[in-house]
Amino acid sequence: MIRGAFRPLERVCRRGGPLSPQLANILLDDFDKELEKRGHRFVRYADDTIILVKSISAGNRVMASVTHFLVSKLKITVNKKKSKVVPVSKCSYLGFIFVRGKIRWSNKAFLEFKRRVRLLTGRSWGVSMEYRYRKLAEYVRGWFNYYGISEYYRPIPGLDEWLRRRIRMCYWKQWRYTRTKVRNLLRLGTYKREAIMTALSRKGPWHLSRTLATQAGMTNKWLMEQGLISIKDLWVKIHYPATAR
């Protein structure tokens, strides 16, 4: 209603807005009740729904009957490209997949995480390290507050190692001059010969970020003291809170 007169909407509710899931809950309340009446096991968040059945043939029957209910009773258009009948092992839901009874983040979500971290640790991003650490911590904490329930531990140590290497690369790029690199490495405890040889190298920052000189100087402990967040610590706090530091 605009100035007392009803006018047709020019666009639908903005995707991702706080109103969208609330309207979906109101509209699909009858859908939930229908599934409960039929005895189905299901989970729904806004308009994303999974219905669990025992076989593919049962899934096809339920898909047909549920689609008919949504179209005929609730007047909802079902996206047939996104709606499918698949085994649980091939199902992705809200950024998660299920492997042998355990929940994991999806490959798509993981690749997006690494893409964002690459942006936040880009060596050409002209910001202070303090600001970089803060923005990186905000994103990583937010991501793990959602995806941290993943029970897949194997990639976690590798992610921490990868993140530390990217931060070392940023420092190496910022130090820029050979004298500055040598001076900082010596200050951090690197042997003089290693510091000089590494600083004189013509190889790129990414390669040199994994050398003995840079790792001996910019140790894991030192990086944590500067403000680098630990992905492993975040995962442990979620899954083993009693043993977390």
Side-chain angles (χ1 to χ4, degrees), residues 182 185-186 189-200 213:
V182 172
L185 288 177
L186 292 176
T190 302
Y191 289 120
K192 186 175 183 179
R193 181 177 183 278
E194 292 291 338
I196 294 173
M197 292 295 291
T198 305
L200 289 172

Side-chain angles (χ1 to χ4, degrees), residues 5 12 23 31-32 42 49 53 57 74 76 82 88 92 101 120 123 135 140 160 175 198 200 203 207 216 227-228 233:
V12 297
L23 293 176
F31 178 56
D32 293 343
F42 70 98
T49 306
V53 295
S57 58
L74 300 184
I76 293 175
K82 293 184 177 180
V88 172
S92 176
L120 293 169
R123 65 192 187 192
K135 300 307 291 184
V140 173
D160 258 341
W175 290 346
T198 305
L200 289 172
K203 293 180 179 179
H207 177 87
L228 181 61
D233 286 350

Side-chain angles (χ1 to χ4, degrees), residues 126-181:
V127 297
S128 67
M129 292 303 296
E130 181 183 359
Y131 181 79
R132 188 190 300 270
Y133 280 131
R134 185 168 73 252
K135 300 307 291 184
L136 183 63
E138 288 174 0
Y139 176 70
V140 173
R141 282 199 182 96
W143 197 87
F144 265 85
N145 283 341
Y146 183 79
Y147 288 102
I149 60 173
S150 169
E151 299 173 274
Y152 191 37
Y153 174 75
R154 182 176 294 178
I156 299 297
L159 277 177
D160 258 341
E161 181 182 345
W162 174 70
L163 182 57
R164 288 192 295 266
R165 185 178 178 184
R166 291 197 63 83
I167 290 297
R168 291 187 181 105
M169 176 188 68
C170 292
Y171 276 112
W172 197 252
K173 179 69 174 180
Q174 284 194 357
W175 290 346
R176 192 173 180 181
Y177 299 109
T178 300
R179 288 185 178 181
T180 306
K181 293 173 181 176

